[in-house]
Amino acid sequence: MSTSNYIENINASAKAKQETMEKFKELSEEAWQLYLLHVSIDCVVFGFHDFTLKVLLLKGLHDDSWALPGGYIGNEEDIDDSAIRTLKERTGAENIYLEQFRAFGSPNRSEHYFSEFPDTLWHKQRFVTIGYYALVDYTLVLPKPDSISSSCEWKDIENLPSLIMDHKYIIDQALTTLRMQLSHKPIGYSLLPDKFTMPELQKLYEIILGKKLNRGNFYRKMMGYDILDKLDESRKSGGAHKSPNLYRFNKEKYENALSNGLKESW
């Protein structure tokens, strides 16, 4: 890179950073009037596609850092309604499965990220954030960035980019919660499309559990629950191998089974 191009890149980066700071200051003035101070929300939005578990992330305007979709709670707004509103704005999806799983309140969780901003900035105050996880059908989501982000994208849970503040820890805790609730919440039903293959279902379980599962044992266990309907159709592979059969969750049987827990150790 030539010296002139290097200087141009530095100037462009400095300009973008200044524009971001001005945007935060503008939003801060409104926030002092509109939102509840010291409490925020952060949403871990999970999706499943191409045998990978995805998380929806926002990219900052002036750097390469990424963040969870989140926001603040209106003065007269219910906390759950705030999370639903945030997810609708970022995904465009309706009727999302949403679960509040824990709070995060380290004293200095955002101090470094806003270190260059004045202490009067709304975003620089100490916030306890309420963590939600959301389970969505990947195909129904249209990611949309917010006013302080350049893009909103799906990222592989096993290959996450650099994240701001404690957002990586929040994601890790959300994944741990999924693991604990796998036998009691409609996780597979909410993440998979209406029709799916047994290898897709097994891969989803393996990612959440963090370990490989025996194919034959997994098939026997899932069919033994009597929560799947085997369809008279298969996934067209386009190759020489046999096309895998398609399945669909039997919603009534699935919900009945979850009410008692699937009673299975993986």
Side-chain angles (χ1 to χ4, degrees):
M1 180 185 297
S2 67
T3 302
S4 60
N5 287 339
Y6 178 72
I7 294 174
E8 286 178 4
N9 288 340
I10 292 178
N11 290 338
S13 177
K15 181 180 178 181
K17 188 174 183 178
Q18 182 61 36
E19 290 175 349
T20 301
M21 293 184 74
E22 293 301 321
K23 185 64 177 179
F24 267 112
K25 291 177 182 178
E26 177 186 328
L27 294 172
S28 175
E29 294 178 5
E30 295 181 353
W32 283 106
Q33 305 299 321
L34 299 176
Y35 301 114
L36 187 67
L37 185 60
H38 299 310
V39 183
S40 61
I41 60 167
D42 280 299
C43 300
V44 184
V45 185
F46 290 109
F48 187 73
H49 182 64
D50 284 343
F51 290 91
T52 60
L53 187 63
K54 309 282 189 179
V55 177
L56 197 64
L57 297 176
L58 296 162
K59 187 177 185 298
L61 283 174
H62 72 273
D63 56 26
D64 292 328
S65 63
W66 293 78
L68 291 167
Y72 301 102
I73 303 160
N75 288 323
E76 305 298 329
E77 188 177 32
D78 182 87
I79 294 177
D80 288 347
D81 289 342
S82 177
I84 292 169
R85 170 176 54 81
T86 297
L87 290 175
K88 180 66 165 61
E89 292 171 351
R90 300 285 72 79
T91 69
E94 302 277 2
N95 302 317
I96 293 175
Y97 182 86
L98 187 65
E99 185 91 13
Q100 184 184 126
F101 68 98
R102 63 164 289 180
F104 300 84
S106 173
N108 302 314
R109 53 183 301 270
S110 61
E111 182 176 315
H112 176 72
Y113 188 73
F114 292 108
S115 61
E116 298 182 32
F117 288 85
D119 291 342
T120 55
L121 186 80
W122 164 269
H123 310 76
K124 195 175 181 179
Q125 309 311 301
R126 181 181 177 183
F127 279 89
V128 173
T129 195
I130 309 299
Y132 285 82
Y133 73 76
L135 308 176
V136 302
D137 183 340
Y138 177 94
T139 62
L140 300 180
V141 171
L142 298 173
K144 182 181 179 182
D146 58 24
S147 60
I148 53 175
S149 304
S150 60
S151 63
C152 183
E153 302 175 17
W154 288 107
K155 296 296 181 180
D156 188 345
I157 191 73
E158 297 175 328
N159 188 29
L160 293 174
S162 175
L163 292 153
I164 68 170
M165 298 190 280
D166 56 355
H167 288 197
K168 175 61 167 62
Y169 179 66
I170 294 175
I171 292 174
D172 289 342
Q173 292 303 301
L175 190 59
T176 297
T177 302
L178 283 190
R179 187 172 300 136
M180 294 187 299
Q181 296 183 345
L182 196 56
S183 296
H184 300 275
K185 300 291 183 179
I187 293 171
Y189 179 83
S190 301
L191 284 172
L192 290 166
D194 180 53
K195 301 175 184 179
F196 53 87
T197 66
M198 193 62 72
E200 287 172 329
L201 180 60
Q202 179 174 337
K203 184 61 178 180
L204 175 60
Y205 269 64
E206 288 178 339
I207 294 173
I208 294 174
L209 293 168
K211 62 181 181 181
K212 295 288 289 183
L213 300 172
N214 179 273
R215 184 175 63 179
N217 288 341
F218 182 82
Y219 177 84
R220 285 189 290 272
K221 287 179 181 180
M222 295 308 300
M223 297 308 294
Y225 294 144
D226 192 30
I227 59 176
L228 300 178
D229 292 333
K230 187 175 181 179
L231 307 179
D232 292 328
E233 53 184 303
S234 58
R235 175 74 51 79
K236 305 303 180 184
S237 64
H241 299 288
K242 181 181 178 181
S243 300
N245 292 110
L246 288 172
Y247 295 82
R248 174 186 286 140
F249 281 109
N250 184 306
K251 187 176 182 181
E252 181 178 355
K253 291 181 178 180
Y254 190 31
E255 290 177 348
N256 287 337
L258 288 176
S259 66
N260 297 314
L262 295 180
K263 294 182 175 62
E264 190 66 71
S265 61
W266 296 98

